[in-house]
Amino acid sequence: MALLENLLLVFVAGLITALATGIGALPFFFFEGISDRRNVILWGLSSGIMLSASTFGLVEEGLAEGTPLEIAIGMAAGVALVVVAHDVLMDTDIDPQQYETADFKKLVLILGILTVHSFPEGVAIGVSFADLGLEGGTQFLGFTVPVLAIFMTIAISIHNIPEGTAISIPLRSMDVANWKLVWWAVFSSLPQPIGAVLAFGFVRYAREFLPYGFGFAAGAMIYLVLTEFVPEALDIGERLPSGGKPELAGGIVVGILVMVPLTFV
């Protein structure tokens, strides 16, 4: 029974982060769009949060559980998964049927790529709960929850908000209804609770793989920041003064500073 309760708690944590993605679509209920400057700042904020969570959370915890080599192997595996999944997705032959070809393909790629992004984040949540119920955690609803799990759940929830905005912008240009924007945003992150439960179950009962799990999640997220989030922000900020680099750098710094205090809890 305890196992089912633990799995349910991990699933709920992953679901919370997925639902947070929908918050990113809410501004479109009140505004027609979001300025390029604010969008770049949001991507920078998201990048800073994920870099901070990966470095000060996952990598640091992984080094406490295993060797640098184990972390490095895990990180390489995380990067490889994202690269392969992205390549497979981009090469997929899509039958748009009754939909207009370009728009439908764009929609599928946007949803698919963000879904590929969300699974490693779910893995990060799952491995952060590895010490659930053990000593040294924080009491919450009768559970002893690891501080790292709280850290990662908060970090990924905050990070998911700009992702929800990112997916809503092109969908809004396709005249998708506002309430559907929220649905599609949440849908793109639904692999997170699934990935969280699978990762938790694996590392909980195969603890010798825990350092690899921490490295896997960190590697995937750092790679996504460097190859997807930052380039996306620079592409959006291309028309801004200095190419949006000051806004991006400012967002990254704020994102890191927001999460650093949690590392000392």
Side-chain angles (χ1 to χ4, degrees), residues 17-250:
T17 64
L19 292 175
T21 314
I23 297 175
L26 296 182
F28 294 92
F29 282 85
F30 308 100
F31 307 101
E32 284 298 316
I34 297 178
S35 69
D36 288 345
R37 185 180 301 276
R38 290 179 180 176
N39 207 1
V40 172
I41 293 173
L42 283 174
W43 276 111
L45 178 68
S46 176
S47 299
I49 287 171
M50 297 312 289
L51 289 174
S52 181
S54 298
T55 304
F56 301 121
L58 295 171
V59 172
E60 186 174 323
E61 191 71 19
L63 290 173
E65 295 282 345
T67 66
L69 178 60
E70 291 171 332
I71 303 301
I73 293 173
M75 293 180 74
V79 171
L81 174 70
V82 176
V83 170
V84 171
H86 188 275
D87 288 345
V88 169
L89 183 68
M90 294 298 289
D91 291 337
T92 300
D93 185 21
I94 300 168
D95 179 13
Q97 296 180 345
Q98 73 269 30
Y99 295 91
E100 198 278 319
T101 304
D103 283 349
F104 184 70
K105 284 190 175 182
K106 183 179 180 182
L107 170 61
V108 171
L109 288 175
I110 291 168
L111 291 175
I113 290 170
L114 287 178
T115 299
V116 169
H117 291 183
S118 70
F119 187 79
E121 293 160 8
V123 171
I125 296 169
V127 297
S128 72
F129 273 91
D131 289 336
L132 180 63
L134 304 181
E135 292 184 5
T138 300
Q139 292 299 316
F140 179 74
L141 297 178
F143 294 90
T144 303
V145 182
V147 174
L148 178 63
I150 299 172
F151 176 85
M152 291 306 302
T153 303
I154 293 173
I156 293 175
S157 294
I158 297 174
H159 151 79
N160 278 354
I161 295 175
E163 278 207 357
T165 303
I167 195 172
S168 298
I169 290 173
L171 294 177
R172 188 72 181 84
S173 68
M174 295 163 59
D175 294 325
V176 175
N178 287 337
W179 68 271
K180 288 185 178 180
L181 296 180
V182 176
W183 157 247
W184 284 118
V186 173
F187 176 80
S188 72
S189 291
L190 286 182
Q192 286 179 10
I194 299 171
V197 169
L198 292 175
F200 171 75
F202 183 76
V203 299
R204 183 61 179 251
Y205 297 101
R207 288 192 66 89
E208 64 270 21
F209 291 102
L210 186 55
Y212 300 100
F214 282 124
F216 177 92
M221 292 198 296
I222 292 172
Y223 179 80
L224 286 170
V225 168
L226 297 179
T227 63
E228 298 285 347
F229 300 167
V230 171
E232 176 70 16
L234 293 174
D235 185 53
I236 295 170
E238 193 173 11
R239 295 184 296 273
L240 298 175
S242 301
K245 294 182 180 65
E247 289 82 0
L248 174 60

